[in-house]
Amino acid sequence: MELKEVVFLFENASIIKYVGLFFIFNLSIIFIEIIVDFLIAKKRRWKDTGANVVIFGINQLLEKTIVGSIGIILLIPFQWLSLFEIPMNIWTWILAIFVADFTYYWMHRLEHEHRILWAHHSVHHSSEDYNLTISMRLSIIEGLFEWIFLIPMILVGFSPFQAVVGLVLVAQYQTWIHTEHIKSLGWLDEVFNTPSTHRVHHGSNRKYLDKNYGGILIIWDKLFGTFEREKEKVIYGLTKNINTNNPLTINFIEYLNIWKEVKKCKTLKDKFRIVFGNLIWKPEYFKKKD
């Protein structure tokens, strides 16, 4: 598949109309929740909400540039390496969303386990509120490298178009789960990613850390040992909160923190581990200084 074919599909494929309608629906429920929270005087950090909206606006502008296209462009060569070509029909679309959801689980999990990836994903977790605008609070540069996680889908035969749209649908599904207005949904919480299971994911409580990575299905967490039910009150935010509503600071503060620690490292090995290791590792001499 050539770039012009992919562009044609994004402009003319019927599924894009449904993606657009899904997007409009998500914007509508976000707007409705804002109005409801205002009318019932629900406790909410309104400056935080404003920051989420600004970050969303920046992301929408960047999607109209090369940032929004880079993943598609760079995925095309991997299709030339594939020995298979999966046709696009209703059944393969269902399969593509299922595989994209599995891909999302591992991408999401790795973003929590490696600090250089956490640097962009922490943007989404840095709010101490939990409402539908949090779904808008996504790193403005994550599109530069998240496409890498779709490479296995391309190599097994999915087109870049189907892989990207599949992941987009997994992401769009998750808008409605960022709310406190919907409580437990019973057995649905055991199968799907729901407001209850995702509140756990956003918790900074010790028992909730690094749990419930699933996108649409929560069964991945059950299979791979990362599932946790909502039992105690969720404390939102990071274990060390950033205390800012500046959209640019929100997006880049963790990169700055990494750079500060890299400069303090005494060896190249320690520098590498600070950047690519887990979130809590520090050289022993850091601890002595503290």
Side-chain angles (χ1 to χ4, degrees):
M1 182 174 286
E2 302 294 332
L3 178 60
K4 62 181 179 181
E5 296 177 77
V6 178
V7 172
F8 177 83
L9 287 170
F10 271 103
E11 292 177 347
N12 298 282
S14 58
I15 194 169
I16 295 301
K17 296 176 183 177
Y18 295 104
V19 172
L21 289 173
F22 202 177
F23 178 77
I24 293 170
F25 171 78
N26 284 335
L27 286 181
S28 299
I29 62 173
I30 290 170
F31 179 73
I32 290 169
E33 188 192 56
I34 288 174
I35 298 301
V36 169
D37 284 359
F38 179 77
L39 292 176
I40 67 174
K42 186 179 187 297
K43 184 179 179 182
R44 185 175 183 140
R45 296 171 177 83
W46 290 100
K47 288 184 178 180
D48 182 88
T49 294
N52 298 340
V53 173
V54 171
I55 291 171
F56 174 76
I58 295 172
N59 267 316
Q60 292 306 300
L61 289 173
L62 291 176
E63 281 188 11
K64 309 302 180 185
T65 70
I66 189 65
V67 174
S69 307
I70 192 168
I72 300 164
I73 294 169
L74 294 176
L75 282 172
I76 289 175
F78 290 96
Q79 191 174 29
W80 303 337
L81 301 175
S82 176
L83 299 176
F84 310 97
E85 184 176 343
I86 296 175
M88 282 189 286
N89 55 53
I90 182 65
W91 301 112
T92 61
W93 271 113
I94 293 171
L95 179 62
I97 294 170
F98 185 78
V99 176
D101 195 49
F102 178 75
T103 300
Y104 177 86
Y105 171 87
W106 285 106
M107 176 182 77
H108 195 183
R109 181 168 176 170
L110 289 170
E111 286 174 334
H112 278 254
E113 293 177 347
H114 296 275
R115 195 168 177 194
I116 191 62
L117 298 178
W118 175 249
H120 74 261
H121 186 61
S122 61
V123 173
H124 184 60
H125 282 266
S126 59
S127 174
E128 295 175 63
D129 274 358
Y130 193 76
N131 53 64
L132 293 179
T133 68
I134 301 302
S135 66
M136 296 175 157
R137 191 184 181 105
L138 301 171
S139 168
I140 61 177
I141 63 170
E142 66 183 14
L144 294 175
F145 33 78
E146 282 194 337
W147 61 270
I148 295 171
F149 294 94
L150 290 175
I151 292 174
M153 283 190 71
I154 307 304
L155 293 177
V156 299
F158 289 101
S159 72
F161 173 73
Q162 205 166 26
V164 169
V165 172
L167 191 63
V168 166
L169 289 171
V170 171
Q172 286 199 351
Y173 165 87
Q174 295 177 68
T175 297
W176 76 280
I177 62 179
H178 291 85
T179 185
E180 292 184 307
H181 289 289
I182 300 174
K183 306 305 178 183
S184 174
L185 294 177
W187 68 268
L188 291 173
D189 295 337
E190 304 295 317
V191 180
F192 297 98
N193 194 11
T194 63
S196 178
T197 57
H198 203 59
R199 282 193 291 271
V200 167
H201 179 70
H202 275 261
S204 60
N205 317 45
R206 181 173 292 276
K207 70 176 297 181
Y208 290 162
L209 292 177
D210 302 326
K211 301 295 183 181
N212 299 357
Y213 295 116
I216 295 175
L217 298 171
I218 209 69
I219 59 174
W220 309 123
D221 291 280
K222 291 190 171 184
L223 283 172
F224 300 113
T226 53
F227 179 69
E228 184 66 51
R229 294 177 180 84
E230 184 181 26
K231 294 178 180 178
E232 63 185 49
K233 180 177 173 58
V234 182
I235 302 171
Y236 304 110
L238 305 172
T239 54
K240 184 178 179 181
N241 288 310
I242 58 176
N243 301 316
T244 180
N245 293 310
N246 183 305
L248 292 180
T249 303
I250 291 168
N251 271 272
F252 296 107
I253 190 169
E254 182 58 14
Y255 289 104
L256 180 60
N257 291 337
I258 291 173
W259 176 240
K260 287 177 179 177
E261 293 187 5
V262 164
K263 289 193 296 182
K264 290 164 58 179
C265 288
K266 297 178 180 179
T267 69
L268 186 60
K269 180 181 178 181
D270 288 346
K271 293 177 188 290
F272 183 88
R273 196 167 174 185
I274 282 289
V275 175
F276 297 101
N278 65 49
L279 277 60
I280 62 174
W281 183 85
K282 300 287 186 296
E284 285 297 323
Y285 49 86
F286 273 31
K287 298 174 184 177
K288 290 178 182 178
K289 288 182 179 179
D290 295 338

